[in-house]
Amino acid sequence: MATGSNNALSIAPATFLSILHRCKALTASPSAISKPKASSSSSTAGPNETLQVLDLWRVETLPKIVNGGAVEGGKPRDPPYLTLTELEDVLTCKMKRGKFRPTLLPLLRSNSPSTIEEVTRASFAHLKDTNPNELPSTKAVTDALNHLSKNLKGVGPATASYVLAARAPNFIPAFSDEAFRWVFSETTAPGVKGGQGEGWKRKMDYSLKEYLAYFHRVQEISQRLIEEAQVSYKNNPDQDSRDCGDYRQDFGASSVEMVGWVLGKEASGWAPGTTLTDSIDTDAEADTKVGGLGERKRKQDEDHRNPGESKKRADKSATSSMDKRPKLKKPQAPTLAEVNDKHIPDIAADGGGLRRSARNR
């Protein structure tokens, strides 16, 4: 686990920046090889791109799309939304950075393109009164994240956070396993599973409650780093020419997440050139729940609206369970030889001692 100079609660600004600069090299991987694009100006990156290309698209182009910037030949989206292809790129990038869950992309693609656009547009609307350069309220982040996770199949808090992080990169962090475990490496908080000292093996629920605890912890770390960097600037003005905006960009939420991600990957031995698809998790449920919302919540809502369907599903489940029960064989009377075998001990061929019967071995 990150200790000493790399501790999330005490890491120095200079050390933080040196780790941040290793992020780009760490995303260089031979997996999903394809010809990199000449620039990141396109509104999509493509699911077969390397992580480095996808991550560059995520941090440079996606924020322009989400904030109504000029994309698609100079036409801004007002109000902003994401297409199905763009959301696929977001999910692919997230999985390449973490665990590959093969069922998530098919789930995501089961949403219609119009549904993706409508839901993402409504989610961003919860943040419309938030200046990208200001900290959004907890309620705004909660409502936006809930709207994505509740209404799109294959989208949970982690994927939703990657989308919302593009709206305000300096304040809304992406929800990665490594960054979460790093910021809670020495402490815990309400809503966080596990206790102090569990390090990189801390269990996660991927719930809304857990994300909000992480969201607030990242703000604390970011603000401390900014304040310490500003003090350092006052003491050494010739060595630091940044203004306040640069401090927020260098030590904002997105940077905190990246540093935690780098430290987590390096701790696991993941270096440039490592195959990313080695980390596979077949549990799609891990990223499709929102502390009671998600797939189970959608089924509960459907049951409430249509009790008949709920009964059909329950009957089908019960029938399926009965079909899977092992069939019992009808007992048969033992033969005379079997009866004798239970009462007459076996004698070893060489005249040795008694040998245990098969029943007692």
Side-chain angles (χ1 to χ4, degrees), residues 118-317:
E118 291 171 5
V119 172
T120 54
R121 184 183 291 113
S123 177
F124 294 145
H126 288 290
L127 299 169
K128 66 179 180 179
D129 296 328
T130 300
N131 186 319
N133 296 317
E134 296 178 357
L135 177 66
S137 68
T138 302
K139 183 180 185 306
V141 173
T142 301
D143 291 344
L145 192 146
N146 262 344
H147 195 82
L148 286 171
S149 302
K150 184 178 179 180
N151 295 291
L152 292 179
K153 299 174 184 177
V155 174
T159 303
S161 74
Y162 273 72
V163 173
L164 299 183
R167 177 66 174 83
N170 293 335
F171 296 99
I172 302 179
F175 194 7
S176 67
D177 295 21
E178 296 80 11
F180 176 84
R181 288 168 176 146
W182 180 59
V183 302
F184 287 113
S185 60
E186 299 299 326
T187 59
T188 188
V192 176
K193 197 172 184 177
Q196 181 177 346
E198 293 188 0
W200 300 117
K201 295 183 179 181
R202 181 190 286 271
K203 299 293 184 180
M204 296 175 64
D205 276 337
Y206 302 92
S207 65
L208 171 62
K209 189 174 183 180
E210 202 170 60
Y211 176 75
L212 292 177
Y214 165 72
F215 169 78
H216 290 297
R217 176 57 57 85
V218 168
Q219 308 310 319
E220 295 171 6
I221 295 171
S222 173
Q223 190 58 37
R224 178 188 64 79
L225 285 165
I226 291 172
E227 292 174 357
E228 290 185 11
Q230 289 174 332
V231 170
S232 175
Y233 167 72
K234 291 179 180 179
N235 295 332
N236 303 281
D238 295 334
Q239 299 178 19
D240 195 335
S241 59
R242 286 170 296 196
D243 57 28
C244 291
D246 292 330
Y247 285 120
R248 179 61 65 183
Q249 183 174 349
D250 288 342
F251 303 105
S254 178
S255 296
V256 172
E257 187 278 330
M258 287 182 183
V259 166
W261 182 80
V262 168
L263 289 172
K265 290 302 183 186
E266 290 178 344
S268 68
W270 201 43
T274 303
T275 301
L276 308 184
T277 51
D278 285 347
S279 181
I280 299 177
D281 191 340
T282 57
D283 181 17
E285 177 73 10
D287 189 43
T288 54
K289 63 182 181 181
V290 188
L293 296 174
E295 289 301 309
R296 283 179 288 186
K297 180 63 169 63
R298 278 193 284 273
K299 288 182 180 179
Q300 291 172 2
D301 291 342
E302 292 172 1
D303 294 346
H304 180 72
R305 293 192 297 268
N306 194 345
E309 288 299 320
S310 175
K311 185 176 185 304
K312 289 180 181 179
R313 185 161 53 244
D315 293 343
K316 183 178 179 180
S317 176

